[in-house]
Amino acid sequence: MQPAGLFITFEGIDGAGKSTHIAALAEAFRAAGRNLTLTREPGGTPLAEKLREMVLNDAMDPLCEALLMFAARRDHLQQVIEPALARGDVVLCDRFTDATFAYQGGGRGFDLNVLQQLEQWVQVRADTGQLRQPDLTVWFDLPPDVAARRLAGARVPDRFETQPEAFFRRVAEGYGSRLKQDPARFVRVPSDQSKEAVWRAVRAAFEQRGWLQVTEVRA
Ligand code: TMP
């Protein structure tokens, strides 16, 4: 029998080691024999990748920014995420709608009611009428000052990475609010600790849900 699809999203400000842990989870799911779709937002389809280039680099007002994020998401859901879940894949998606609430809502201070309406428009499924949400969202929670130290000089910054620390404090608060609204969907991983400790916490969240096998603890 085909396993049920799983939709997992990863969130947090940059510098928390998100990519490393997504790669490690992908490896663990592959070893467990699952088919994977690895993807990211904004992006994941040819159209959404074009929108990504614009939204990360071109000046625009906050409504335009929010609309482009959701336009990219709509294409991504229809072209990649929904078909993958229908096939029974594990979809590992680097950022999703919580990022819009955190960055555009928290960081930019954009109207949360408008974001909620866009979320409904974009994520309501034609087949069930239900809102598509991740089965689990892993939030790598890293204090913004630690993130800034880790990222200093790491790469050419985009329109978000050039924001001051206060912006990222608001982003972190935005993630915190989303978690409060739907705590069962989230696992918050304090990420100001060693890579190994973060990985143990991430892996445990999947083992507890029966999605990965429990690893042997060596004495
Ligand atoms: P990345 O560098 O992790 O791929 O993410 C791209 C940037 O886009 C990152 O700074 C967060 C930002 N972003 C938003 O502002 N809103 C969104 O909805 C998403 C998905 C990302």
Side-chain angles (χ1 to χ4, degrees):
M1 207 180 75
Q2 173 184 296
L6 267 184
F7 182 27
I8 317 290
T9 61
F10 301 87
E11 298 287 355
I13 59 176
D14 286 317
K18 196 159 46 79
S19 318
T20 312
H21 298 297
I22 294 174
L25 267 177
E27 201 44 54
F29 272 113
R30 272 196 206 100
R34 293 294 303 254
N35 289 329
L36 278 185
T37 292
L38 273 174
T39 189
R40 68 167 179 183
E41 290 210 349
T45 69
L47 172 62
E49 289 292 330
K50 285 187 205 162
L51 295 174
R52 176 188 174 93
E53 275 308 301
M54 294 178 204
V55 82
L56 294 191
N57 299 304
D58 297 351
M60 63 187 72
D61 90 318
L63 173 58
C64 200
E65 190 176 288
L67 289 171
L68 289 187
M69 291 294 181
F70 273 109
R73 180 159 304 132
R74 176 75 180 173
D75 195 52
H76 190 211
L77 273 166
Q78 290 196 310
Q79 305 295 330
V80 173
I81 296 174
E82 294 295 354
L85 293 173
R87 290 196 294 272
D89 279 16
V90 175
V91 177
L92 302 181
C93 186
D94 187 346
R95 300 191 186 284
F96 192 63
T97 304
D98 298 309
T100 315
F101 280 84
Y103 280 77
Q104 280 63 55
R108 300 264 194 242
F110 185 69
D111 190 335
L112 296 175
N113 292 321
V114 176
L115 296 183
Q116 261 155 20
Q117 286 177 35
L118 291 170
E119 183 183 36
Q120 293 286 328
W121 279 12
V122 166
Q123 287 167 231
V124 168
R125 293 165 57 188
D127 52 349
T128 62
Q130 300 216 320
L131 196 67
R132 169 63 77 191
Q133 290 290 20
D135 296 300
L136 182 71
T137 297
V138 182
W139 172 26
F140 296 96
D141 188 13
L142 185 67
D145 57 321
V146 179
R149 279 201 300 279
R150 286 190 187 171
L151 287 177
R155 59 180 172 190
V156 180
D158 62 34
R159 283 177 64 239
F160 298 102
E161 290 159 346
T162 49
Q163 294 296 317
E165 211 175 287
F167 176 90
F168 291 103
R169 279 199 293 274
R170 295 194 298 275
V171 170
E173 284 165 19
Y175 279 127
S177 306
R178 286 287 278 184
L179 178 147
K180 279 203 198 98
Q181 285 160 25
D182 193 1
R185 174 167 68 81
F186 275 88
V187 56
R188 174 182 161 273
V189 179
S191 300
D192 188 9
Q193 47 178 344
S194 72
K195 205 195 305 185
E196 292 72 24
V198 172
W199 170 241
R200 278 196 296 277
V202 171
R203 184 157 181 131
F206 286 79
E207 290 173 345
Q208 278 157 18
R209 286 163 179 78
W211 294 340
L212 284 174
Q213 272 190 342
V214 176
T215 29
E216 302 263 322
V217 180
R218 268 183 256 150

